[in-house]
Every structure is written in C-alpha cells, then in structure tokens.
Amino acid sequence: MGDHKDDHKEQSLRVGAAVRRRRRALELTLAVVAERSGLSVPFLSQVENDRARPSRTSLEKVADALRTTAVELLAAADPACSVDVVRGEAPDPAAEPRVRSLVRGHHQMHASEFTGDHDAGREFQYRNDQLMYVADGAVEIEAEGRAYRLGRGDTLYLTGGVRHRWRATVSDTRVVVVAVAEHIEAVRDRSR
C-alpha cells in the first residue's frame, strides 16, 4: 500500500497546534498528558511548539492521552506554510445566486463569496468573529436589532455570537464573508 506517501504528508503538517487545541479543550495540563502518555513534559512542549516532530508511536500515545486518535490530530493539523490560490470565475449574468468558498481545506480562516441575491429570511449566527466586505452592489444587514446599509467597498465586522440576517438590495451584488473557522475555540479566549 502507499504508506510512504502518507509519511510525506505527515511530515509537511504541523501537528503541534492541533495537540495544543485538543489539550486546552479538555482543560488538561502538560503534566497530566505526560503522565497519561508516558512522554516527558519538555518533549510534549516541543511537540506543541512544533520544535519536535513526534514519531507515529509517540503521536498515538499523545492521542490516547487526549482521548482522540493520531488520524484525527493529523486531520486537524495546520499545513506547514501552505499557499493556495483560488481563481476568480467569469460571472455568468444568468446565474442563480451562489456561494463559493475562497479557502479550501481545514484552516483557521474560512471565507466565502456570495453572488446575487441571498435568502433574507435566514438568520446567521457564527461562533467566531467575521467580517463582511461588499465587493460589488449593496446590501442591507440587520444585526442586534439595527439595520446597516453597505455599499461597494464597505465592510462590517461582527463579533462571534451576534445574530444577523442580510439581503442584497442591488442585483449582481457580491459579498465576501471572512470568518474565524468554527472549529477554533476563539470565543472562550475573550473572557481571559
């Protein structure tokens, strides 16, 4: 089987951030993880800071200590300096309203481009902060009981948890929405 290909993929991933996120989500100290995994605190600290690359065996020990699997940790890992270009598409004047993701894969940021009208009745509530940028046209946004009108080039920032709904007020409106990805626990840090 193609095991060596998977090894290469693991080497290009920085699993440290995923390990730290998981440990903090479980509210465990490095000492507890060290005790459960049989690995040392300095080594675990180096793993979390991506100064040490754990072997598959070590990663499995860490995963067990964090009540997860090595596969899950690798899936949640950040690609080491990845660069990804998402090309623009030629606008189709007859196209239905559509959404296009501007970020591929499992990253800390999520971004989408909404083209055309949008379901005004649908209410959104994101766990983390987001930014709306009107690339073309105009929109009306209702958030926290207030209405905001945005035109081309305007931006609106919404903190996590704010309920809002919006609609395009001009045809061929394009809105870019950038948000901190849902799998990131950014909200909890605000209370510290």
Side-chain angles (χ1 to χ4, degrees):
M1 305 258 306
D3 288 343
H4 56 280
K5 283 214 303 268
D6 293 342
D7 287 347
H8 171 72
K9 189 169 171 229
E10 280 167 33
Q11 287 306 303
S12 69
L13 287 168
R14 294 184 307 195
V15 78
V19 170
R20 186 187 294 113
R21 282 195 293 267
R22 177 73 185 164
R23 177 175 66 78
R24 286 182 176 165
L26 295 174
E27 297 182 348
L28 298 175
T29 61
L30 277 171
V32 170
V33 178
E35 194 179 309
R36 286 185 186 175
S37 64
L39 301 166
S40 74
V41 170
F43 176 70
L44 288 170
S45 174
Q46 285 189 321
V47 167
E48 285 196 0
N49 292 305
D50 288 308
R51 285 201 297 271
R53 281 238 165 83
S55 66
R56 184 71 192 212
T57 312
S58 295
L59 190 59
E60 276 163 7
K61 286 178 182 171
V62 171
D64 285 344
L66 297 174
R67 298 192 208 105
T68 185
T69 62
V71 172
E72 283 292 312
L73 286 174
L74 287 166
D78 302 325
C81 341
S82 76
V83 176
D84 189 21
V85 175
V86 178
R87 298 280 176 202
E89 296 167 12
D92 177 357
E96 290 294 299
R98 64 194 174 86
V99 183
R100 153 175 111 87
S101 182
L102 304 178
V103 178
R104 286 182 281 230
H106 189 86
H107 292 289
Q108 297 190 12
M109 302 293 298
H110 182 73
S112 299
E113 179 190 60
F114 294 85
T115 306
D117 206 355
H118 186 64
D119 179 5
R122 189 169 165 210
E123 193 173 55
F124 291 90
Q125 184 180 25
Y126 291 96
R127 173 170 163 181
N128 295 319
D129 292 8
Q130 65 156 324
L131 178 84
M132 293 180 80
Y133 170 74
V134 182
D136 237 330
V139 297
E140 199 171 72
I141 300 161
E142 192 188 305
E144 297 285 288
R146 284 186 60 190
Y148 301 87
R149 288 172 201 274
L150 301 188
R152 182 177 175 176
D154 291 345
T155 57
L156 179 82
Y157 192 93
L158 295 163
T159 49
V162 172
R163 291 179 178 281
H164 60 284
R165 56 172 58 127
W166 64 276
R167 68 188 182 91
T169 53
V170 176
S171 60
D172 296 335
T173 289
R174 279 193 311 136
V175 177
V176 175
V177 177
V178 181
V180 177
E182 291 279 312
H183 67 272
I184 306 244
E185 301 257 353
V187 173
R188 289 178 53 192
D189 297 341
R190 204 170 280 128
S191 58
R192 288 198 189 126

